[in-house]
Amino acid sequence: MGPYDARCCVMAHQSPTFVMRGSSSPSRLPTSVSGFLDFKPHEPVSDVKIDGFVRSVRAQKRYHFVSLGDGSSLDSLQAVVPADQADGLDIGAAVRLHGSWIPSEGRGQSHELRVERATVLGPSDAKTFPIQKKYQTPEYLRTLPHLRPRIPFNSAVLRFRSEIINSLTKFFGTRGFIQTHTPILTSSDCEGAGEVFHVSAGDPPPSPSTSKTPKPFFRRPVYTTVSAQLHLEALAQALGNVWTLSPTFRAEQSDTPRHLSEFYMLEAEMSFTDKLDSVMDLVEDMLRHISSDLAGSRVRDELLVRTGERASDLATPEEVTQRWEGLIGGSWPRITYTEAIELLKRAETPFVHSPVWGRDLQTEHEKYVATKVGNSKSPVFVTHYPRDIKAFYMKASPEDFDTSLPGATVECFDLLVPDFCEITGGSMREHRLESLLESMRAHGIAPGPSSDGAVESSQQTENNLNWYVDLRRWGCPPHGGFGLGFDRLICYLSGVQTIHDTSAFPRWYGRCDC
């Protein structure tokens, strides 16, 4: 008989004391693996039930040592199962274990479950179960999106998403913002870039016998939304300050670590504000709140754990810690696009793309600015980009903003973070009717009939934006807002290196696996 067998025989003759946190009611027992891992009574607790999935099994003659997880914790719970109760406890199986929660004399855990009855609720064939305890590459796991969340670190990332959403809800609630739900289907292309998915009801082709074209489902072309912004602006005129977290879609033929075809955008609009600084203040306060709120959380600590070969797939704990500290720290620098261009021109670093006023900043430029201005730690706001490279809805900078510039600018900003570049963009919105119409024409977008009834040029892009223009006709106050790439934020704060691994079921160019 081994040491563990002897210990179990002794404990089998003990009368476990039912220990609760201030109550003798079984309803107060933990209900998750993470709850039990935090539950450390000095005496054994009987009548315990734990549900979960078998992560691994180590079989001995009289006992099987089962590692149990349920997605609530990176760590697993150790269950000691008599051999005659261990039938069907294979890797991947969904099980229900009954027994006593006892202090452990073994190494690696303070407590363990001494199982008295085990029930297999969902059997698993360990020989064919694709998720194994050994290291599996991110590329391989992306081929199994329906099973990948069972990897402990992947489930931690998904719990982190939930924690951030909860923190955001608290933040906006204390600021008096109204959470709204904007449509997924739209007849308006917010960005005007044309990188949209067209929606069809699957109408059959016209019959050769009738040659009659079937009636379309909608009256006009419909797309999946690329941004909730335009609809949020409408809601802001009715509700005041509003926000949403909703899926958006881009038909970009891009397979990079920073792009998805379906992703979540956090967007907010502030009504009755005429200062770009107030929008940037909101973004800064929001991200600082999230970081401070979750700095001491279990899931944040779990995201810093690096084990085995998987560590090479993630940013180092030191890098991730520095990112959190940068968000929590002092005020973030704010420079203009023109100042950024001058900084880049003076740089001794050779760039693949030369920095030129009037052209958008490339990733290499954004990384340099974030490193130099933010000292590789603090986020940096870059403001007042040239009008010609920004969207039609952005408000023009005042005429006296900087008369020395080679072209007009708009009141906008991008937020750059070290290592990951741009994660947030925002602007003041053009709330003046004639100025908006002029901007739309300058961007080649047909805004509908002019105020004098004239028809716009047929060479301009058709877009159903008449309703958006109408908002300026009847009581449109100064307002501004921003959009934050939620999945990119998860990447930045978790150390995950690609946006493909922050979404449970990622879709990107060429891939929509389930």
Side-chain angles (χ1 to χ4, degrees):
M1 180 182 294
Y4 189 86
D5 296 323
R7 176 164 57 91
C8 285
C9 287
V10 172
M11 297 194 72
H13 292 88
Q14 296 177 346
S15 298
T17 303
F18 191 81
V19 178
M20 297 307 303
R21 291 177 173 173
S23 170
S24 60
S25 169
S27 64
R28 296 294 300 276
L29 279 170
T31 59
S32 65
V33 167
S34 64
F36 273 100
L37 292 177
D38 290 337
F39 181 39
K40 301 178 180 180
H42 297 295
E43 300 294 333
V45 176
S46 60
D47 298 323
V48 166
K49 181 196 76 172
I50 303 178
D51 296 332
F53 299 91
V54 176
R55 289 183 179 176
S56 66
V57 181
R58 179 165 53 91
Q60 293 186 355
K61 184 176 181 180
R62 296 187 61 189
Y63 298 96
H64 288 200
F65 295 84
V66 175
S67 293
L68 197 71
D70 64 355
S72 66
S73 170
L74 193 65
D75 294 324
S76 57
L77 176 152
Q78 176 167 286
V80 183
V81 186
D84 59 0
Q85 288 282 331
D87 187 39
L89 298 186
D90 299 315
I91 295 176
V95 300
R96 176 168 294 161
L97 305 180
H98 295 263
S100 298
W101 185 242
I102 64 174
S104 175
E105 294 183 8
R107 292 178 297 177
Q109 64 282 324
S110 66
H111 288 69
E112 62 194 14
L113 181 69
R114 187 179 67 196
V115 176
E116 298 159 5
R117 185 172 79 258
T119 304
V120 176
L121 304 178
S124 172
D125 184 351
K127 295 180 180 179
T128 61
F129 185 53
I131 305 297
Q132 298 294 322
K133 190 176 181 179
K134 65 180 182 180
Y135 172 74
Q136 294 171 302
T137 66
E139 291 78 11
Y140 170 73
L141 293 173
R142 288 177 204 132
T143 68
L144 302 168
H146 56 304
L147 296 174
R148 185 176 64 161
R150 295 202 198 181
I151 298 291
F153 189 85
N154 291 62
S155 66
V157 172
L158 296 180
R159 283 187 284 111
F160 186 47
R161 290 179 72 101
S162 178
E163 294 283 353
I164 290 184
I165 293 171
N166 182 52
S167 184
L168 284 169
T169 302
K170 290 189 294 184
F171 171 80
F172 282 116
T174 59
R175 295 296 184 99
F177 278 68
I178 305 299
Q179 184 177 12
T180 64
H181 296 132
T182 51
I184 300 299
L185 303 183
T186 178
S187 57
S188 308
D189 178 3
C190 173
E191 299 298 328
E195 296 172 333
V196 297
F197 290 102
H198 294 256
V199 175
S200 169
D203 298 320
S207 171
S209 60
T210 62
S211 68
K212 183 178 181 181
T213 302
K215 183 179 179 180
F217 192 89
F218 295 106
R219 295 179 179 178
R220 53 171 52 92
V222 171
Y223 325 97
T224 52
T225 185
V226 298
S227 171
Q229 179 201 316
L230 304 188
H231 294 96
L232 275 182
E233 288 189 55
L235 293 172
Q237 288 186 223
L239 298 171
N241 296 343
V242 293
W243 74 285
T244 189
L245 178 63
S246 59
T248 54
F249 307 84
R250 302 283 172 89
E252 298 175 325
Q253 296 186 13
S254 179
D255 183 5
T256 76
R258 301 178 63 204
H259 291 88
L260 286 173
S261 299
E262 177 187 4
F263 55 97
Y264 273 74
M265 283 284 285
L266 167 64
E267 299 182 75
E269 289 293 322
M270 301 175 66
S271 193
F272 289 97
T273 184
D274 54 7
K275 298 293 185 182
L276 184 64
D277 281 335
S278 64
V279 183
M280 291 189 286
D281 290 343
L282 177 68
V283 173
E284 188 169 342
D285 291 346
M286 178 191 71
L287 292 176
R288 182 172 289 114
H289 168 85
I290 292 172
S291 304
S292 301
D293 191 30
L294 300 181
S297 65
R298 168 194 289 272
V299 69
R300 191 264 188 177
D301 292 340
E302 290 178 339
L303 293 173
L304 295 179
V305 174
R306 302 288 184 268
T307 57
E309 295 177 82
R310 188 172 302 279
S312 63
D313 301 328
L314 306 166
T316 66
E318 293 75 20
E319 289 175 310
V320 176
T321 299
Q322 182 170 283
R323 294 173 184 180
W324 284 71
E325 292 174 348
L327 293 179
I328 296 174
S331 297
W332 304 344
R334 302 177 181 185
I335 66 171
T336 65
Y337 165 88
T338 302
E339 291 170 334
I341 291 295
E342 293 302 318
L343 175 68
L344 293 166
K345 287 181 176 179
R346 295 193 302 269
E348 297 179 358
T349 302
F351 296 115
V352 175
H353 302 89
S354 298
V356 177
W357 200 100
R359 297 179 185 174
D360 211 351
L361 299 181
Q362 301 296 317
T363 300
E364 58 181 338
H365 302 150
E366 293 178 340
K367 286 185 176 181
Y368 184 86
V369 171
T371 299
K372 290 297 182 180
V373 180
N375 294 318
S376 298
K377 183 175 181 179
S378 172
V380 178
F381 287 104
V382 179
T383 69
H384 297 89
Y385 283 72
R387 181 188 64 182
D388 292 342
I389 63 173
K390 287 298 182 179
F392 72 92
Y393 51 74
M394 295 184 178
K395 184 180 179 182
S397 301
E399 293 183 358
D400 60 351
F401 174 69
D402 189 343
T403 56
S404 66
L405 298 180
T409 63
V410 289
E411 293 194 63
C412 69
F413 67 84
D414 281 349
L415 179 64
L416 312 182
V417 293
D419 305 319
F420 219 77
C421 304
E422 186 259 330
I423 61 169
T424 308
S427 74
M428 295 301 297
R429 318 308 191 190
E430 185 54 80
H431 68 285
R432 300 161 297 185
L433 176 60
E434 292 305 323
S435 297
L436 176 63
L437 292 174
E438 178 184 350
S439 178
M440 294 174 74
R441 296 186 188 101
H443 284 81
I445 300 174
S450 303
S451 57
D452 60 1
V455 178
E456 296 295 328
S457 169
S458 60
Q459 295 181 351
Q460 292 181 316
T461 304
E462 290 291 337
N463 206 325
N464 178 39
L465 291 171
N466 289 354
W467 66 272
Y468 183 71
V469 173
D470 278 348
L471 295 175
R472 273 65 181 170
R473 301 185 192 278
W474 302 297
C476 184
H479 61 287
F482 70 88
L484 178 146
F486 191 65
D487 300 275
R488 289 186 180 182
L489 177 64
I490 302 294
C491 270
Y492 187 67
L493 292 179
S494 67
V496 174
Q497 302 284 47
T498 169
I499 199 172
H500 298 166
D501 295 337
T502 60
S503 172
F505 302 100
R507 282 87 168 88
W508 71 95
Y509 180 57
R511 297 289 293 275
C512 184
D513 293 345
C514 73

